[in-house]
Structure formats: C-alpha cells, structure tokens
Amino acid sequence: MSDVLEIDIDGALATFTMNRPEKLNALSDELKEALRVNVGRINDNKDVKVVILKGAGRGFSAGADLSGPRADPISFHLDIDYKPFLTGIERSDKIWIAQVRGAAAGAAAGVAMTCDLMTMAEDAYLYMAFAAIALVPDGGNVHHLHRHLGYNKALETILEGKKLTAAECLAAGIANKVFATDDLEAQTRTWAQSLAQGAPLALAAAKRLLRKAPHLSLGEMITEEGWEQTALLKTADFQEGVQAFFEKRRPVWKGA
C-alpha cells in the first residue's frame, strides 16, 4: 500500500482513501498505480463485499495531476493508467460506493461515476473541467454522462464545462443519496455496512445484470436473469435464506 492511498478493511467493508489532500487528491502517476494494484487486490479478497472510495480532506479529487510529465500520447496514459482500475471497479463482484465531498473534477468525476453507487455532500459537485483547457472529457466521463443525461444534456454539460451539483446529480440518478457535509462520512459508512450484510453472490449477480442491461434487449435480459437465478438457486445461501425466512431469524451468508 502506498502513502497516497490509504486502505482500511473492517470485516466485509473496505475503505479506499485517496490521500493527497495538499493537492486536492489529484490523480498523480503514483496514485493511479496504487489504485490499479489495490483494486485488483481487493477484488481478490473474498471477505470484502463493499468498498467505499473517497478523498482525504475537503475534496474527492481535482482530477488528473497536470503538473506531471506528459511525454507519451494521452491515449497511452488513459489505457495504461486509468482503464485497468476503472474496468476493475466495473467488473468487480464488490459493490463500490463513491463518497464525494467537495469537487470530483475532470477525470475524477469519471472515477466517481464508475463506482456502482454514489453518496454526496450537499455542497459537493462533479465538474467537467475539460472545456476550460480546450479538451474533451476522458476517464469514462462521456460514457457516464450520456448514460445518465442523454445526448442533449450530456453535450451541453461538456461544451459548457458545467458543474453538476449534488442536487442535480441526485435528480439525474448519478447520486443515490445526498447528506449534510458533516454527516456524509457516518451516513455513507452506515449505508455501506448495511449493504455488506446482503447475500454476496446475489449482490454480485445484481451488479452483473445491471451492467449488462443497457446493451441487451428485453428478451436477452430475461435469459440472462434466468442464468443468474439458476446459479443462485443451487447455492447454500439460497437454502439458508429460505430456512431463515421460515425460522424468522437473520440469515448467515457464506457466499457459497
């Protein structure tokens, strides 16, 4: 683990804290490498069910660290530095929650939106800072903005370099919950701990289905649901859930 990324594991809940508060957690080469390595490691941890991703200090992240060297083409950096940990979050069988305080700007907005769920402080925002420096969004931002806002509003947001407030993100379905700034940490953790008590195989299956949903027809999705459900019906967790239901007790999930 690097000093720029703090990792705390508490049972089924892990917390990743981007730790460059003096630079507003800008995504330096060291931080991106730490994310790449540790997203892979946490995905291999069978005990962890939910991961919170947040920034230290007053902001989530200022985005790419523009003070670093850029000798290679940006396409190289995006494929090597960003794609591995972003697709690692997307394909993970964990539920990832972005906890956004202050700004999630530039590429960091894409990082936040890549997570499965998002909580925001009332004064937090996602900032499409690219237009101000004659660039287009990267780090998955275009994909996520189009998915949530549709073509017209996504293009408007990009061309005008907008800041999407917490209230706007909540209305658009980008954010799941908005809390008072002082309550963000505790409320996000409480929610994450509650989710982590769910049946792990069902959590992972729900995530897989919803990630596929935009690319499939209704008929194709019904088939996919059937495959996932068939596998789940064969698990010990399903038997435990049924037994616990009739015995009126909390089930004990084994992830098997």
Side-chain angles (χ1 to χ4, degrees), residues 48-67:
V48 171
K49 308 297 185 294
V50 178
V51 185
I52 296 171
L53 176 61
K54 64 178 186 173
R58 59 191 178 90
F60 181 79
S61 171
D65 189 344
L66 299 180
S67 65

Side-chain angles (χ1 to χ4, degrees), residues 56-245:
R58 59 191 178 90
F60 181 79
S61 171
D65 189 344
L66 299 180
S67 65
R70 291 182 298 280
D72 296 312
I74 190 65
S75 59
F76 173 85
H77 286 293
L78 290 170
D79 276 348
I80 300 301
D81 296 341
Y82 286 94
K83 187 186 290 186
F85 77 83
L86 291 174
T87 57
I89 291 171
E90 178 192 33
R91 298 168 184 170
S92 172
D93 63 359
K94 323 297 181 190
I95 303 299
W96 285 74
I97 303 175
Q99 177 185 305
V100 181
R101 180 193 301 271
V111 174
M113 288 191 285
T114 296
C115 291
D116 305 296
L117 304 168
M118 188 187 301
T119 61
M120 299 182 75
E122 289 176 330
D123 57 354
Y125 56 93
L126 307 184
Y127 179 27
M128 293 300 111
F130 303 92
I133 53 175
L135 294 177
V136 294
D138 56 28
N141 272 301
V142 174
H143 171 85
H144 297 301
L145 289 174
H146 185 272
R147 179 165 60 94
H148 286 290
L149 302 180
Y151 175 87
N152 289 11
K153 293 301 291 185
L155 186 59
E156 174 187 329
T157 300
I158 291 168
L159 296 182
E160 295 184 2
K162 281 190 170 183
K163 294 180 180 179
L164 296 173
T165 66
E168 289 172 324
C169 289
L170 186 64
I174 296 171
N176 297 87
K177 298 176 184 290
V178 174
F179 301 113
T181 302
D182 290 344
D183 295 335
L184 177 66
E185 182 86 20
Q187 293 281 11
T188 301
R189 189 169 186 84
T190 296
W191 187 36
Q193 288 172 330
S194 175
L195 293 174
Q197 293 176 15
L201 297 178
L203 291 175
K207 174 174 176 174
R208 283 194 297 272
L209 286 170
L210 282 166
R211 291 282 184 172
K212 292 177 182 178
H215 314 292
L216 300 178
S217 68
L218 173 61
E220 290 168 333
M221 180 49 65
I222 290 171
T223 299
E224 289 292 327
E225 291 168 345
W227 284 114
E228 293 286 3
Q229 201 77 304
T230 297
L232 291 172
L233 285 166
K234 297 176 182 178
T235 66
D237 277 355
F238 169 68
Q239 298 298 328
E240 166 64 8
V242 172
Q243 186 173 348
F245 175 80

Side-chain angles (χ1 to χ4, degrees), residues 28-48:
S28 63
D29 288 345
E30 184 182 4
L31 178 52
K32 287 178 288 188
E33 173 65 8
L35 285 165
R36 183 189 67 77
V37 170
N38 288 287
V39 166
R41 286 177 178 170
I42 207 68
N43 283 344
D44 290 335
N45 186 324
K46 301 302 182 184
D47 296 325
V48 171

